[in-house]
Amino acid sequence: MTAGNTGSDTPGNDDPFGYLYRSEGGEGGAGGDGATRQQGVPRTSYNQVRAVGERQYGGASQQSGQGRQNASYAAPETLPGGERARTPQAGPPAPPQRNHKGLLIGAVAVVGVVCIAIGIAMLNNSGKEADNKAQPSETVSTSEQPEHKPAEKPSKAPLPKDDAGSLKLGGGATTSKDVPGAHSAGGVYVAGMNTPGASATWTLNVEEEGAYKMWVGYGIPGQDRDLTLTVNGKRDERPLNMKNFAGSEEGSWEKGWQKTWQRVPLNKGANTVTLSCEDGNKCDVNIDQLWLEKKIA
């Protein structure tokens, strides 16, 4: 083995692709130029660059193919755009990231628009209802002052009503409660009216002048009675009729309580009404109450 040799001198053993560089005769070393490699000279055939398919025949360079010119082989990365061609393909593009903030703002805007639309619709409806309620279309000027209604008169005081105990007695008349059934408070009534000159006077007040219906509560022993009626000092031509309207039994004072009425003219303000036993009257009677019912024509 000589210097610069790394193994067997046999080209087939030294370079498995040596046949590509041999001459037509099949001889020659690994140099590929047809000459026998000299011992001690390093191989240089591996560093020679030839075009693909190019072979040497008798020192002349030929290229396989039809009418192609000889061109030196160049690596793909040396060509224009080579680096871009060698750049490994990137994976599938990542899906675009959603802008959640933008979506939220959009949703809020939509809700706001809907709320505004609903509010406008409600205002329109309320306006229509107000217009409908304004019917009928009678207009009132704002300069007109509201009509002043006269103040209502105070309610009238109830008509007077008094028991026998409040009457002014004279001529032997007195109060008693021996006979049960009287309607006055405590069952008190005026007795002793069977004596001529006996009287019971009622003082009363009215707000309006006129004729009134006056009621008298009385008790009789089952027989018709009457008394003289004097109003404000003027004697009435008609006696106060105290008939046995209930048809009670004669002598039954307890069951003889009844009532009668007569028209009396009264002045505005204070008035006096006197019941008295006078000549010609049937005076055996008891009195328990006097009251006005209403004003009559």
Side-chain angles (χ1 to χ4, degrees):
M1 182 177 295
T2 59
N5 230 344
T6 58
S8 172
D9 289 340
T10 304
N13 295 331
D14 185 36
D15 187 358
F17 302 99
Y19 68 92
L20 296 175
Y21 312 109
R22 294 184 186 133
S23 60
E24 285 296 327
E27 298 294 336
D33 55 356
T36 303
R37 180 178 60 85
Q38 296 180 2
Q39 294 184 359
V41 179
R43 301 182 184 88
T44 59
S45 60
Y46 301 123
N47 298 324
Q48 296 178 0
V49 179
R50 295 183 176 86
V52 176
E54 181 183 1
R55 302 180 70 178
Q56 290 184 354
Y57 299 92
S61 173
Q62 295 184 1
Q63 181 179 0
S64 63
Q66 299 178 356
R68 295 182 182 177
Q69 298 179 355
N70 185 21
S72 299
Y73 171 79
E77 59 270 18
T78 62
L79 300 176
E83 286 296 330
R84 188 167 56 249
R86 289 177 56 88
T87 303
Q89 292 291 334
Q97 296 294 327
R98 294 183 178 180
N99 190 347
H100 296 286
K101 185 176 182 181
L103 293 176
L104 179 59
I105 294 175
V108 172
V110 171
V111 172
V113 171
V114 172
C115 292
I116 293 174
I118 294 175
I120 293 175
M122 293 177 66
L123 290 176
N124 292 336
N125 291 336
S126 62
K128 292 180 180 178
E129 292 179 359
D131 294 340
N132 294 335
K133 292 180 179 179
Q135 299 299 329
S137 59
E138 183 178 354
T139 59
V140 179
S141 174
T142 56
S143 61
E144 295 180 1
Q145 297 295 329
E147 182 180 356
H148 293 285
K149 296 183 179 180
E152 295 183 359
K153 294 182 179 180
S155 59
K156 295 181 179 180
L159 294 176
K161 180 179 181 179
D162 289 304
D163 293 336
S166 65
L167 301 179
K168 182 180 180 181
L169 305 180
T174 184
T175 59
S176 177
K177 54 181 179 180
D178 295 338
V179 179
H183 294 88
S184 58
V188 178
Y189 57 90
V190 175
M193 294 294 293
N194 56 352
T195 303
S199 64
T201 302
W202 181 34
T203 302
L204 68 155
N205 289 275
V206 292
E207 296 179 353
E208 297 179 3
E209 181 181 357
Y212 289 82
K213 187 176 185 178
M214 184 186 73
W215 287 88
V216 178
Y218 65 94
I220 55 176
Q223 297 176 356
D224 295 342
R225 296 290 187 262
D226 60 58
L227 291 173
T228 298
L229 176 63
T230 304
V231 179
N232 292 325
K234 184 179 181 179
R235 182 174 178 174
D236 195 326
E237 295 179 356
R238 297 171 301 166
L240 179 63
N241 186 10
M242 295 178 168
K243 189 177 180 178
N244 185 16
F245 297 107
S248 59
E249 296 177 3
E250 186 175 350
S252 177
W253 288 90
E254 182 178 347
K255 295 181 180 179
W257 292 105
Q258 303 173 56
K259 62 183 179 180
T260 188
W261 72 275
Q262 187 150 319
R263 179 181 180 272
V264 293
L266 300 176
N267 300 323
K268 181 180 178 180
N271 296 270
T272 59
V273 176
T274 301
L275 302 178
S276 62
C277 179
E278 304 294 340
D279 292 339
N281 293 132
K282 297 178 181 179
C283 306
D284 197 10
V285 62
N286 295 328
I287 302 171
D288 65 348
Q289 287 181 324
L290 291 94
W291 69 94
L292 296 181
E293 180 182 3
K294 61 182 178 179
K295 183 179 179 181
I296 58 177

